Amino acid sequence: MRPRAGARSRSLSLWLSRSLPLPLSRLCALALVLLLAAGAAPSPALSAGCPARCVCDEQLVVQCAGQRLIDFPAELPLATRQLILSDNGISELPALQLNYLADLVYLDCSNNSLAELSESTFGNLRKLAYLDLSFNALARIDARTFGPLASLVMLRMTDNPRLSEIDERAFADNSALQVLDVSRNNLTALNVSALMALPALRALGLGGNPWRCDCSTEDLCLWMHVEGFKFQDEGQTVCQNPLEMRGRRLSEVGMQLRSECHQGLGYWDYLFFIAIGFVIFSAGTVSAWVMGVLMVLYERYSKRKSEELDSEDEEDGTTRGGASNHGNGDLSKPGMQV
């Protein structure tokens, strides 16, 4: 069986070298050779069963390509290391079934009808190194969608016409990712922090997207200008909007966007700040006047209250004094008579 594995690796390497730019194809071919070599040794753990319309061999490869499958194949051998589901009509990757394949290192789901992925989809595939989701109907990639894939080296998500949003934390936990291809989708902007979080990244494909070259993509354009060696399709990574930028490469417009997005204040900006200052000053003046009036009224009220209390104390004292003198006069009269 070893010769068949070698022939497979050579054919895949040849296909990659023809369909991808030279530096990127070398990386892909090397990764595939390593993956196939890792799965070359037969394992007694491979189940004798094999899904209908699929072919399983002793190299732990399950080949289901082009079988008009609508659903994810059931009863896959648990020891499967390579699963090829390309060119079918599968619309969902069931997390429960897929995550039983804990030894899976290669998964090709290209050219299907996949529309949604979640963090649980790949929850237990910690050995997966190659994932192909090209030619599907994906619309967005949420945070940590690929988080569990700690060993992921190569990720292809090309030719998803509806894919317009990739969360900035989508690849936050994929520190081993070396090749990322999101070409020919519907991306107009991409948060550069999603790419800067990949320390091992060696090749990146962004071409064929309708990029909008404005302040929202300024950081991406500047990053492309600095990290240009990583972009094998830089000539195809061009602006679609606005019209005055159409056809220009993203790596060329970074400095222009920086000057335009951080230019000095204009006439209306100064008027705005003057108006805001006047409003704040007026509000402060009115508040201070109101507080002053309230303080004066409070002091007058306190003074009046204090005077009233003093008057009452004096009246009480006078009343007590008169009563005392009157009592003493009564006591003196008998004495005088005596």
Side-chain angles (χ1 to χ4, degrees):
M1 289 300 190
R2 294 183 183 273
R4 287 202 306 170
R8 186 186 301 111
S9 65
R10 286 193 298 272
S11 62
L12 285 171
S13 300
L14 180 61
W15 176 81
L16 286 168
S17 64
R18 291 177 178 176
S19 59
L20 296 173
L22 185 57
L24 186 58
S25 65
R26 288 178 179 173
L27 284 172
C28 296
L30 178 60
L32 284 174
V33 169
L34 291 175
L35 291 174
L36 291 169
S43 171
L46 185 64
S47 172
C50 188
R53 291 189 284 180
C54 296
V55 177
C56 307
D57 62 22
E58 294 181 357
Q59 310 303 322
L60 311 178
V61 178
V62 179
Q63 173 65 260
C64 305
Q67 298 301 313
R68 298 181 181 178
L69 298 177
I70 299 177
D71 299 317
F72 188 81
E75 300 180 358
L76 285 165
L78 297 182
T80 301
R81 293 180 66 83
Q82 298 182 51
L83 177 58
I84 303 173
L85 301 174
S86 57
D87 304 311
N88 286 294
I90 300 173
S91 59
E92 181 183 4
L93 294 177
L96 184 61
Q97 295 175 249
L98 183 60
N99 287 305
Y100 278 128
L101 310 178
D103 292 328
L104 196 65
V105 296
Y106 182 102
L107 177 60
D108 185 353
C109 298
S110 61
N111 200 15
N112 278 279
S113 302
L114 300 176
E116 186 176 359
L117 300 172
S118 67
E119 184 178 347
S120 61
T121 302
F122 308 108
N124 195 40
L125 303 184
R126 305 192 182 280
K127 296 182 181 179
L128 191 68
Y130 179 92
L131 176 60
D132 194 342
L133 298 169
S134 303
F135 294 95
N136 278 283
L138 299 175
R140 58 173 285 127
I141 302 297
D142 294 322
R144 301 199 75 255
T145 297
F146 307 109
L149 305 179
S151 301
L152 190 64
V153 175
M154 188 181 309
L155 174 60
R156 299 187 72 242
M157 291 191 296
T158 69
D159 300 281
N160 283 267
R162 298 172 54 200
L163 183 56
S164 59
E165 183 178 356
I166 297 178
D167 191 275
E168 61 181 298
R169 295 165 295 171
F171 315 115
D173 300 318
N174 304 117
S175 57
L177 190 62
Q178 297 185 22
V179 180
L180 173 62
D181 196 352
V182 290
S183 305
R184 298 179 298 280
N185 294 308
N186 195 33
L187 297 172
T188 58
L190 180 62
N191 194 314
V192 72
S193 59
L195 305 175
M196 295 178 67
L198 301 173
L201 190 64
R202 298 292 179 270
L204 176 63
L206 298 177
N209 286 286
W211 298 107
R212 180 171 183 82
C213 296
D214 56 14
C215 296
S216 64
T217 54
E218 173 199 352
D219 291 337
L220 176 63
C221 295
L222 287 172
W223 190 75
M224 286 189 64
H225 179 74
V226 175
E227 304 286 341
F229 65 94
K230 295 180 180 179
F231 299 91
Q232 308 303 324
D233 58 351
E234 183 184 2
Q236 299 175 355
T237 309
V238 298
C239 306
Q240 181 70 21
N241 289 299
L243 290 176
E244 59 270 19
M245 292 283 194
R246 179 170 295 181
R248 297 184 60 184
R249 293 187 295 177
L250 266 66
S251 58
E252 294 179 346
V253 301
M255 297 306 296
Q256 178 180 342
L257 289 176
R258 184 174 184 83
S259 61
E260 292 178 356
C261 296
H262 301 280
Q263 60 184 352
L265 297 176
Y267 175 76
W268 290 106
D269 296 319
Y270 285 112
L271 287 180
F272 173 77
F273 285 121
I274 291 173
I276 290 294
F278 178 76
V279 170
I280 294 174
F281 174 77
S282 301
T285 303
V286 172
S287 299
W289 182 81
V290 171
M291 290 298 294
V293 170
L294 291 176
M295 289 297 295
V296 170
L297 293 176
Y298 177 75
E299 288 180 0
R300 289 183 178 179
Y301 172 78
S302 299
K303 186 176 181 180
R304 183 180 299 174
K305 194 69 175 177
S306 178
E307 291 176 352
E308 291 176 355
L309 290 175
D310 292 341
S311 300
E312 291 177 358
D313 290 342
E314 290 178 359
E315 291 177 359
D316 291 342
T318 303
T319 303
R320 292 195 189 99
S324 176
N325 293 334
H326 179 71
N328 291 336
D330 292 342
L331 290 173
S332 64
K333 287 181 181 179
M336 292 176 64
Q337 291 176 359
V338 174

